[in-house]
Amino acid sequence: MLGAVAISTPLIWLSAPSIPPRNCNSIPRICFLRRNSNPTVSFSQTQYFCHLTSYPLRLYPSKDSKTQTQLSPNAASSSSVGNVEYTEEPTTNVQFQRSLSLPGCSSSLSLIGTGYREKVFAIIGVKIYAAGLYVNQSILSKLNAWKGKSAAEIQENSLLFNSIFQSPSEKSLQIVLVRNVDGKTFWDALDDAISPRIKAPTSIDESALYTFRSIFQGRPLKKGTFIFLTWLDPSKMLVCVSSNGLPVNVDAEIESENVTLALFDVFFGNTPVSPSLKDSVASGLATTLK
């Protein structure tokens, strides 16, 4: 295995989309953060998104003779603020740091791909969140078997994503909400995606799910909230939630390989809840492993 307010009509945010996903890549351009409207989303209007960055940089001269930094043609847009470089998920316009340090991690992590999650209602797509996958650079050095593979070959190869999951080095999924969501609603949708992937839960799994659930119960999640799901190793995961930038504390530690694997499968398995995220990660890996 390798994904507000309450509403009367149930919805599973993390279920596989029923329409073909749009390609999350776009022609690179320099972009800046912009403020969007802040509608409240109901459970039936929830979506997820993802984004990763380890793309090689290219330098292009701008019209005013200054140097302009861009990602390679198939990557999302990039920009910088001070000494921090960002990559923009093009559909949601959410900015992700290209590298960051998180509580509980031994070293900084690098972004390798981005994507988003949306739910379609009456042919209208409603975006719920953006997401980005970060990895410890040591993981990439252990993927030599896939050097020279295309993005399509990487995306279809479950062994590669399993190798990333099984690595004892850190990897983290950052979720950035683009709608207001109730914490219970967020957890219910997540649980609906995780639980079917655990065929025979043990007492350890049940305890881990209880701990996971307690993080979100009664907790409003506003637009712009960061949620980090950080796998330290195959059986241990840290959860950090912050409404004010990068987290400084760990909200909970989840210890269950069945639960952590199920969650990884939600995003990077054969039926990912955000096809754009997995596609972007595959493209980023193909570029890095050339």
Side-chain angles (χ1 to χ4, degrees):
M1 296 186 300
L2 261 209
V5 293
I7 189 169
S8 58
T9 302
L11 166 69
I12 299 176
W13 298 353
L14 295 174
S15 59
S18 59
I19 62 173
R22 290 180 292 176
N23 195 319
C24 67
N25 294 325
S26 65
I27 297 175
R29 62 189 186 282
I30 297 298
C31 300
F32 301 91
L33 281 169
R34 72 183 186 187
R35 187 177 298 279
N36 296 324
S37 60
N38 186 27
T40 298
V41 68
S42 67
F43 188 20
S44 63
Q45 293 174 316
T46 305
Q47 72 181 37
Y48 289 108
F49 69 87
C50 294
H51 180 77
L52 297 175
T53 43
S54 64
Y55 303 107
L57 291 174
R58 297 180 181 178
L59 299 178
Y60 298 91
S62 63
K63 293 181 180 179
D64 61 359
S65 298
K66 294 181 180 180
T67 301
Q68 192 174 18
T69 304
Q70 294 186 336
L71 295 175
S72 56
N74 290 327
S77 302
S78 67
S79 63
S80 62
V81 178
N83 294 324
V84 179
E85 293 184 332
Y86 294 86
T87 295
E88 181 182 274
E89 196 290 306
T91 300
T92 59
N93 303 121
V94 171
Q95 300 262 346
F96 290 85
Q97 288 188 202
R98 299 190 65 209
S99 65
L100 49 72
S101 297
L102 294 172
C105 291
S106 60
S107 63
S108 63
L109 307 181
S110 300
L111 185 68
I112 60 172
T114 65
Y116 66 95
R117 180 75 170 98
E118 76 175 0
K119 184 67 181 177
V120 177
F121 302 94
I123 75 172
I124 298 176
V126 179
K127 294 164 183 61
I128 307 303
Y129 65 78
L133 180 63
Y134 292 83
V135 300
N136 187 306
Q137 286 291 324
S138 65
I139 293 178
L140 302 177
S141 65
K142 300 175 182 178
L143 301 177
N144 292 333
W146 289 275
K147 276 193 173 183
K149 300 293 184 181
S150 68
E153 290 174 311
I154 289 175
Q155 188 176 37
E156 296 172 359
N157 195 319
S158 60
L159 291 178
L160 182 148
F161 286 96
N162 187 58
S163 295
I164 293 175
F165 173 77
Q166 292 295 338
S167 171
S169 299
E170 302 99 343
K171 45 271 177 188
S172 184
L173 180 71
Q174 180 184 7
I175 292 174
V176 184
L177 296 176
V178 295
R179 294 286 187 275
N180 293 338
V181 180
D182 175 75
K184 181 180 183 301
T185 300
F186 181 87
W187 167 253
D188 288 345
L190 196 61
D191 187 43
D192 285 344
I194 295 174
S195 293
R197 290 171 161 84
I198 305 175
K199 303 303 181 184
T202 66
S203 59
I204 293 176
D205 301 332
E206 295 290 356
S207 177
L209 289 170
Y210 176 83
T211 300
F212 208 167
R213 179 173 63 250
S214 66
I215 300 169
F216 301 103
Q217 295 296 322
R219 185 175 194 165
L221 302 175
K222 297 182 179 180
K223 176 183 176 181
T225 296
F226 290 177
I227 300 171
F228 283 92
L229 307 173
T230 304
W231 293 266
L232 300 182
D233 59 47
S235 63
K236 185 179 295 185
M237 183 179 73
L238 304 180
V239 182
C240 302
V241 181
S242 175
S243 59
N244 187 29
L246 294 177
V248 295
N249 298 309
V250 174
D251 287 85
E253 183 173 300
I254 309 301
E255 295 190 68
S256 163
E257 186 164 355
N258 286 335
V259 173
T260 59
L261 175 58
L263 183 62
F264 197 82
D265 186 70
V266 166
F267 291 95
F268 303 107
N270 294 329
T271 56
V273 298
S274 174
S276 62
L277 174 61
K278 188 177 179 182
D279 179 67
S280 178
V281 171
S283 295
L285 289 171
T287 300
T288 301
L289 298 174
K290 278 186 177 179

